[in-house]
Amino acid sequence: MTETLKRTVEGVFVKLLFHKQEMRGMQLIQFETRCIKKGEIHEIVTTSQQDAVCGDVINRVGFLGFAEMTCGGVIERGDEVFVDGRKIGAVVGFDECHYPNHYNILIAVQDTLTADELQLRIESTISFG
């Protein structure tokens, strides 16, 4: 098996969110990777539906906020996600209900999380790799 090497995609939070939903109805798109450009802003969402696969509907969500990417690269399913240097989970997939404005990047976590539960602040960092 060949190891895949790629750049860590990094960003900072520009808007924080503090709510959860149990029946959100997001749907994971069929693609497991998305190319992200420097300067793009995407919504970061947590879900406790850890075993979700492409095409699944995601209902249990917690919203962290919107993050501006400070470098471009590829985010893919399975990437570990770090917020302010702490691992919070792994990318489970993408929802494009608001695209082309932004993607919802869904992060698989034990229990849904919001910005206040992670003590996020504007300019908190996020990385995918």
Side-chain angles (χ1 to χ4, degrees):
M1 183 163 128
T2 304
E3 182 179 356
T4 302
L5 300 178
K6 66 182 189 81
R7 169 194 270 180
T8 298
V9 177
E10 299 175 336
V12 295
F13 282 91
V14 297
K15 165 75 173 151
L16 302 179
L17 298 172
F18 305 96
H19 59 288
K20 295 182 181 185
Q21 292 183 343
E22 291 293 320
M23 295 300 294
R24 176 55 180 85
M26 290 183 182
Q27 185 167 12
L28 296 182
I29 64 172
Q30 67 179 337
F31 304 108
E32 294 190 355
T33 63
R34 294 287 83 192
C35 294
I36 304 298
K37 296 178 185 175
K38 178 181 180 177
E40 288 183 341
I41 297 174
H42 296 289
E43 191 167 2
I44 311 302
V45 181
T46 64
T47 181
S48 58
Q49 293 175 235
Q50 297 180 7
D51 296 329
V53 295
C54 294
D56 282 357
V57 173
I58 304 296
N59 284 314
R60 293 187 313 275
V61 295
F63 295 86
L64 297 183
F66 290 87
E68 179 182 11
M69 301 304 135
T70 56
C71 71
V74 177
I75 297 177
E76 63 187 299
R77 178 182 171 87
D79 277 354
E80 292 182 331
V81 180
F82 293 83
V83 172
D84 287 335
R86 299 171 294 170
K87 182 179 175 185
I88 64 162
V91 173
V92 70
F94 308 87
D95 167 82
E96 60 185 3
C97 68
H98 300 294
Y99 188 80
N101 185 274
H102 67 273
Y103 285 113
N104 293 318
I105 302 173
L106 286 106
I107 312 304
V109 294
Q110 186 67 36
D111 297 304
T112 57
L113 298 166
T114 64
D116 56 343
E117 292 169 317
L118 286 177
Q119 301 176 331
L120 296 183
R121 63 195 189 298
I122 299 301
E123 303 295 331
S124 282
T125 61
I126 186 166
S127 65
F128 305 85

